[in-house]
Amino acid sequence: MTESVYLKNGGMTPVAAIPRLEYGDFGQAIVTQVQKGQARVAAYFAVLSDEPGAVLEIFAILARERHGDLAVFRTLVGERFESLTPNCSQVHLFEREIAEQFGVIPEGHPWLKPVRFHRSWRPDHDAWGRDPAAHPLVGDLDFYRIDGDGVHEVAVGPVHAGVIEPGHFRFQCYGETVMHLEISLGYQHRDLERMLLGGPHPATPSQIETIGGDSTVAHMSAYSKVIEGLTGCPAPARAKAIRALGLELERLANHVGDLGALSGDVGFLPTASYCGRLRGDYLNMTAHLCGSRFGRGLVRPGGVLFDLQSSLSARILAALEDCEANTIGAIRLFFDTPSVLSRLEGIGRLSRSAAEDLGLVGVAAKACGVPRDCRFFFPTGIYQQEFDELITDENGDVFARARVRSREVEVSLGLVRRILGNLPKGETMIPMGPLPPESLAVTLVEGWRGEVVHVGLTDGTGSFRRYKIVDPSFHNWSGLALALRDQQISDFPLCNKSFNLSYAGFDL
Amino acid sequence: MIQVLLERYRQGFRTGAFPRLEPVLPERFRGLPIFGGCPANCRECETTCPFGACQVVDSQVIVDLGRCLFCADCPACVHGRLSFSTEYRLAADRREGLRYGGGTYSPAEGLEPKLKKLFGRSLKLRQVSAGGCNGCEADCNVLGTLVFDLGRFGIQFVASPRHADGILVTGPVNENMRSALLDTYAAIPEPKIVIASGACAISGGPYQESTEGCRGVSELVPVDLFVPGCPPHPYTLLDGLLRMLGKRK
């Protein structure tokens, strides 16, 4: 086995301890492990290198479900290097990202196109030879096209018909059937990762909490665990339990909301109405906890900012009592209605092998029968004792994605009850020391969409040399594009909603 | 069918009594800031707030609600003299109106009479997210649920700018959404209104230092209603919309 450093979720290592492999060995290690199904690429990113002859240092974090740990590799590359994508699709977008950020070329990449449409981070080095003085034009892309009799192209976005985020979808259709969908994002790009460099800054927590505003608790928990991992000061048990409560309430709100939205998209209004309301009730429970419906200000490095007194616990339990029966009732009605099921089954189907090849995570992966859940495979805090209900489904269609959500709702309801009934005593916040120099920490948090990965890498002064964020949407948008093949274009809204991915979390 | 009816009966009637009754917000909700009693000549909050929300003018602290993110661990006042009330009625007609110096806050008074007459009974809005995180978008969307039931006030989000009387903008207006936003604005027939919802849309919020634009919507188009918050509470937004149309005083 290739030399590597193996970390537990939330673990830290001095950078010097990570062996620096030759690029060939580095690629071989990743491709072999991924092809054998022993590991998958959780994060893959680059920093500028001042080693002679090198331009970038690339770090790869492989998640190994069977071992419950994370393997860390690094290597040096120059202006051009051989793309790993032809042998390992899981890095396809990561390599495009690195090419866009640093103007380097992964040679032999089959789909080397911009990801977010921003200027290169290295002035005068653009992977596509675009004018360095001008901001790249968003959506200026060589879209894959199909020509022929009866073939037509449909372009949707960036601004959509509802109250949702912007993105561009380009369909190649034959009649009503979609032969190919290409998704071009970047419209929400705020240059977030570069704003974190040299940090943590005073503005950093607010930026982390708005990576994807519907996953505030997931992202802020991941960030806090990176800081705690780096400093070696874990949050108190009580704080971890309150974080888990926030995370499960976030999951409940969004899963229930998604089931309602799916119901709306198939024209079944009862569940759409009930779940729309119930989603708000779960958000309000989070607001009782921390004042914000989205969990803003709940989690901070070192713990949580709000304690849960017994009176508040009782209040949230009482609210849960009312919600639980109504949630179960609304969802049962949805799944008991034949006209609903006929609109869900067999639609937007994705195969298990496609999900594995692309490295999908979260609801989208679980619906294809791929077991992926950080709470189960990389548990921290209360999930070490309290979580053993890994949900998967079989068919990879809209129905399966809906059913994974409904079963996860039931699990989360139980978890919330158990957390509220058995809250560890003690502090909710401990002070954090300065970050150690030249170190790397990585954390995985199972947000409601799936695995949120944060990697903190410090420089010689203990400031962020790089802070890498991988939202589950980063992996999963490709899954949506594939799921649309051979589907009716009119089923796109339904398929899209069944994935419900984040644009902001992808665009950063 | 009988199951649908039984479930409907069980779920009950859930539309809120707003605006007849004021909503009860959680005790920990962070609304209008409370401050005062500052030590003489203290100007520390001008530099401690990472978003530049505080300013001291003639020894009087001014909190710019358009920049404030209502942080739970607000670092602005090192003397601990800044906290938050549960006052949620925060929308303003003018950018200047968000600059709050303490005491009674004057929320929006609404559009000019001619526009109130035009839009007061039917207002169709197009929503544009321009770099938003989906927080503001989600709590705008929620106004369509039966708890708030936006439709009963004659307000509706529509699927085309051609059908709209105005736009509701969320997000800091990053470089990659600038032209799509301007195109949408241009496609709306005159007269039209613009609503900036959330700290990002008003001032760039946590992204005001970004290299990708992100200085808010009023740099591009004139704004008729500013709704502060990160994100604004749905009742803050709804209250603002009703004030704008003259349906709430």
Side-chain angles (χ1 to χ4, degrees), chain B residues 210-228:
Chain B
S210 166
T211 57
E212 295 280 335
C214 299
R215 304 293 182 274
V217 62
S218 45
E219 284 204 345
L220 293 182
V221 291
V223 176
D224 301 279
L225 185 72
F226 297 88
V227 188

Side-chain angles (χ1 to χ4, degrees), chain A residues 116-119 135-138 158-166 185-192 194-195 202-214 268 270 273-274 276-281 283-284 287-294 296-298 300 305-309 312 315 322 325-330 333 336-337 449 500 502 504, chain B residues 1 3-12 14-15 24-30 48-51 69-75 126-142 145-148 157-161 168 170-172 174-181 184 200 205-212 214 230-234:
Chain A
R116 304 188 177 101
F117 302 92
H118 58 74
R119 285 191 188 92
H135 193 285
L137 196 59
V138 63
V159 184
H160 300 302
V163 184
I164 47 169
E165 299 177 74
L185 301 176
Y187 292 89
Q188 301 285 63
H189 179 60
R190 297 145 283 165
D191 204 12
L192 204 153
R194 274 206 302 176
M195 295 178 79
T204 299
S206 298
Q207 289 161 355
I208 298 286
E209 287 188 326
T210 52
I211 290 167
D214 47 31
F268 186 64
S273 305
Y274 308 148
R277 186 270 292 189
L278 288 160
R279 173 180 168 279
D281 288 351
L283 294 178
N284 285 339
H288 278 299
L289 181 56
C290 70
S292 158
R293 286 158 54 91
F294 294 90
R296 304 280 161 87
L298 174 62
R300 285 292 181 271
L305 289 177
F306 294 93
D307 199 2
L308 191 60
Q309 296 85 354
L312 187 57
R315 192 168 186 172
D322 177 53
N326 284 315
T327 303
I328 304 288
L333 185 61
D336 280 352
T337 303
R449 277 194 188 90
N500 193 12
S502 170
Chain B
M1 191 63 204
Q3 279 169 324
V4 173
L5 293 173
L6 285 173
E7 190 58 35
R8 172 69 190 83
Y9 176 74
R10 205 160 63 84
Q11 297 271 345
R14 298 285 182 167
T15 302
V24 181
L25 297 178
E27 286 162 28
R28 289 173 173 176
F29 173 74
R30 294 181 292 281
T48 46
C49 173
F51 311 106
L69 303 188
F70 303 83
C71 301
D73 50 352
C74 174
R126 172 77 157 160
Q127 204 273 323
V128 178
S129 168
C133 72
N134 203 30
C136 291
E137 293 78 358
D139 256 356
C140 170
N141 227 343
V142 82
T145 66
L146 46 82
V147 177
F148 303 93
F157 287 97
V158 293
S160 165
L168 186 146
T170 52
N174 54 328
E175 198 61 42
N176 283 352
M177 273 306 287
R178 178 193 295 264
S179 80
L181 173 65
T184 305
C200 283
Y207 299 101
Q208 52 187 271
E209 305 288 328
S210 166
T211 57
E212 295 280 335
C214 299
C230 182
H233 194 278

